[in-house]
Amino acid sequence: MSLLEVDDLRLYFYTKRGTAKAVDRVGFRVEKNETLGLIGESGCGKTTTALAIMKLIKPPGQIVHGKILFQDRDIVSLDKEDMRELRGKGLAIIRQEAQNSLNPVMSIGKQIAEGLLVHDKIGKKEAWERAEHQLGLVGLDTKMISHFPHEFSGGMKQRAVIAMATVCRPQFLILDEPTTGLDVIVQRQLLSLINHLKQELGLTALLIAHDLAVIAETCDRVAVMYAGKIVEHSDTVSLYRKPLHPYSQALLSAYPNLKGEKKQLRSIPGVPPRLINTPYGCKFEPRCSYALEACKHQEPEMMYQDGRYVACHLFQA
Amino acid sequence: MNKQTPLLQIDNLQKHFSLQKGWKSVFAPSKAASLRAVDDITFELHPGEVLGFVGESGCGKSTMSRTLLRLIEPTQGVVRFQGRNILGLSRKEFNPYRRKMQLIFQDPFGSLNPRRTVAETIRQTINIHGLAHSRQEEAKLIERTLDLVGLKPIEEYWDKYPTLLSGGQLQRVSIARVLVLQPEFIIADEPVSMLDVSVRIGILELLQGLQKDFNISFLYITHDMITARHICDRIAIMYLGRIVEIGEADDIIQSPLHPYTQALMAAVPVPDPTAAPPNLPIKGYVPTDPKETVASCNFIQRCPYAVQTCRTQKPELRFVNNRHQVACFRLDF
Ligand SMILES: Nc1ncnc2c1ncn2[C@@H]1O[C@H](COP(=O)(O)OP(=O)(O)OP(=O)(O)O)[C@@H](O)[C@H]1O
Ligand SMILES: Nc1ncnc2c1ncn2[C@@H]1O[C@H](COP(=O)(O)OP(=O)(O)OP(=O)(O)O)[C@@H](O)[C@H]1O
Ligand SMILES: [Mg+2]
Ligand SMILES: [Mg+2]
């Protein structure tokens, strides 16, 4: 049994300009103790998928179809009370840019202990002690427990945010762009911390990023998302060694290298897709250099082949 | 490398911020209580050259950029643009230079007025600088600029408000606004760090094209060695207000000599799941207490190789070969 299973999820935003299919027939599983990466261009629906799992989608967004099974319970049909119960200890999320939304007038210690007081029914003193321990775990000086967010650098804030999300020892953690916007050295330190916590706490996680290298360093498997859909899903090593979907290939070949011969910089040609009034057929067809006639009219189904999933007409039997 | 006169010559540039608060800062200002955000910078930039400035958050990159453009006044130093010290100029004398030297910001979302359409944004710049003499000329200029930055088809972007544009498109609008002035020198301060990896490449391609087509000189400010490698001719590594290493991009990437440069290289994530994660040779953060490095090498707290000399003197930049300079005592041993 997978810890988390998303099945045929469809989540639409009903806007004035039309219906945006931000998540369209998305399915994946995450097994216990594994980290799944979700990668794709800006606006392809990564955060929306994550927020759906946390049941944090607000109008005009709406889940119109599908199941999200966490330990075999369907999150889609849970009520507010059950969901509150589940957050923190069951499911936790580090939201995109969370380091910028810390409460400026509350000490870091209090913000970490808050989750414990809500979910663990323990006293203030014990909560404070565990918050202190938690700071050490994420590599911060425990003396900083009574400091306020403005005294922290960007990287230290992100460590505090990780401490907050993991203090109740959630069974499933979502990290939405945990290192984006931070500088390289801080990013390296955070990647080491994430990998350390995966071991230390036996985390099961969904890690969202638009940087292939960040995914390569942290994830066991990867789902590649394009225009609200998952187009390829495989173990990380196979995907990087031999990407099957033309979009995955384009992502990999557009990635600039630090070592070795200097490549000519080349972005993926064409424009990023719209989510409103999308044409029939494969969403990547207008930018794909291998497109067939069928790609224009018919949406490719997800195919299973040698332990990998790919949705592309080139691979349809 | 280049025998012509430099476009820009920076000598001993410094910018200190006072850390004292209240009356004491007025009546008894103390030297030790200031933050040397730019602590002695010297370099040259040649016409058509792209020079990268790479360093962590807080090491003074933006402060240096603003000082160069006189958006803030330096504490000390000389900034020569086409041979003329622009710091000594009156506001009026400086005006003609203002147009030639431009800045592109990191945050495309925050740097555009949300109530102006794409065309209005560029029109405003045209009007402020009196670049067009008729409506028709103005429209032509806007059209040509949008075309240059790749916002095509033009009709689709002309009347759009920023909220309807993606990050990459917004950054193209900011570039258009700068380009319409036909600058000779552009500082791009982390122009792509807020953007998605795949959008990043498109913007860098655009900047590279502009450099080639119009011979514009660039200072490219970033903390990312990968993009610096791809678009810069030379790279300067900056730490706490000083250049610790500077040279041809290939030399810096292939044989980084300063321990800080080596750390920046090791920090870059590797897009290969089978590679062992690199070990970061330095620890900790950019220190925030400037007092500790008044007499020593600025990198002392984080350096794995520090020796006694490093505690008592500041290393100067020295040539290791005719195109590569490093400021580190370890090279003397
Ligand atoms: N509240 C909303 N109302 C209307 N549309 C929305 C809303 N939230 C998201 N969307 C749309 O849903 C799509 C997916 O957005 P989402 O934030 O999930 O993308 P993402 O993959 O996380 O992108 P990024 O990498 O930029 O974070 C976008 O095209 C966005 O315009
Ligand atoms: N107006 C100011 N008053 C006081 N200190 C300042 C001021 N502006 C900048 N500083 C300080 O100067 C140092 C250098 O800041 P600067 O913004 O130049 O760094 P940076 O290299 O551009 O960093 P980033 O990568 O985060 O943009 C920092 O310690 C900053 O806090
Ligand atoms: Mg997102
Ligand atoms: Mg800056």
Side-chain angles (χ1 to χ4, degrees), chain B residues 88-307:
Chain B
L89 301 180
S90 69
R91 285 277 145 197
K92 205 170 147 218
E93 288 168 321
F94 182 61
N95 259 340
Y97 291 91
R98 210 179 282 280
R99 210 181 116 182
K100 296 180 182 182
M101 312 169 76
Q102 290 296 320
L103 180 64
I104 299 168
F105 294 96
Q106 168 175 7
D107 179 8
F109 304 92
S111 64
L112 294 172
N113 184 335
R115 281 199 285 265
R116 284 211 185 95
T117 65
V118 170
E120 282 164 8
T121 297
I122 300 169
R123 185 175 299 130
Q124 193 207 18
T125 306
I126 293 177
N127 291 339
I128 289 176
H129 293 267
L131 302 177
H133 304 295
S134 66
R135 282 261 151 197
Q136 208 183 355
E137 208 177 309
E138 184 186 270
K140 265 236 168 70
L141 197 51
I142 298 174
E143 222 168 275
R144 215 181 53 223
T145 316
L146 291 183
D147 186 70
L148 274 178
V149 298
L151 289 171
K152 289 182 265 195
I154 291 162
E155 315 80 70
E156 196 168 304
Y157 295 99
W158 195 273
D159 286 323
K160 275 233 170 89
Y161 287 94
T163 45
L164 292 179
L165 298 175
S166 71
Q169 290 164 345
L170 289 173
Q171 199 55 295
R172 285 173 197 268
V173 179
S174 337
I175 295 172
R177 185 174 55 172
V178 159
L179 214 56
V180 73
L181 296 166
Q182 304 181 354
E184 291 172 51
F185 167 52
I186 295 179
I187 301 185
D189 191 353
E190 309 217 29
V192 297
S193 64
M194 308 266 285
L195 305 175
D196 185 314
V197 177
S198 38
V199 181
R200 252 176 223 186
I201 311 274
I203 298 290
L204 294 175
E205 276 178 320
L206 170 64
L207 296 180
Q208 236 174 2
L210 295 174
Q211 182 273 324
K212 288 210 176 76
D213 294 345
F214 303 106
N215 205 38
I216 301 173
S217 310
F218 278 92
L219 278 193
Y220 174 68
I221 312 249
T222 183
H223 54 76
D224 173 27
M225 291 292 263
I226 300 188
T227 56
R229 171 191 191 195
H230 281 84
I231 76 159
C232 298
D233 301 308
R234 284 189 303 144
I235 295 176
I237 307 294
M238 190 164 171
Y239 189 76
L240 286 188
R242 287 181 161 238
I243 294 175
V244 297
E245 181 161 4
I246 181 168
E248 304 275 313
D250 286 338
D251 291 342
I252 301 281
I253 298 291
Q254 269 151 33
S255 43
L257 294 173
H258 197 282
Y260 185 58
T261 316
Q262 290 166 355
L264 285 172
M265 294 282 294
V268 175
V270 190
D272 174 4
T274 58
N279 242 330
L280 199 58
I282 63 169
K283 31 184 203 322
Y285 308 97
V286 177
T288 42
D289 187 356
K291 274 181 236 122
E292 291 172 34
T293 54
V294 168
S296 66
C297 170
N298 284 5
F299 190 55
I300 188 119
Q301 289 119 318
R302 300 172 80 189
C303 186
Y305 311 107
V307 294

Side-chain angles (χ1 to χ4, degrees), chain B residues 57-58 60-63 66 106 189-190 221:
Chain B
S57 189
K61 306 181 298 294
S62 297
T63 306
R66 297 208 156 77
Q106 168 175 7
D189 191 353
E190 309 217 29
I221 312 249

Side-chain angles (χ1 to χ4, degrees), chain A residues 299-314:
Chain A
E299 206 167 285
E301 293 292 323
M302 190 61 102
M303 299 284 294
Y304 182 75
Q305 194 175 311
D306 306 329
R308 305 173 63 174
Y309 293 90
V310 59
C312 173
H313 283 299
L314 295 174

Side-chain angles (χ1 to χ4, degrees), chain A residues 41-42 156 159 182-184 187-189 210 213 216-217 236 240 254 256-260 262-263 265-267, chain B residues 56-57 195-198 201 205 223 226 229-230 253 266-273 278 280 282 284-285 302:
Chain A
E41 281 166 294
S42 189
M156 288 153 89
R159 283 177 195 263
L182 297 166
D183 77 49
V184 273
Q187 169 167 277
R188 162 64 52 223
Q189 293 166 337
H210 57 71
E217 289 203 9
T236 313
Y240 286 65
N257 53 340
L258 179 66
K259 307 258 170 71
K262 203 151 89 179
K263 296 198 260 188
L265 285 182
R266 207 163 44 90
S267 52
Chain B
E56 266 164 300
S57 189
L195 305 175
D196 185 314
V197 177
S198 38
I201 311 274
E205 276 178 320
H223 54 76
I226 300 188
R229 171 191 191 195
H230 281 84
I253 298 291
V268 175
V270 190
D272 174 4
L280 199 58
I282 63 169
Y285 308 97
R302 300 172 80 189

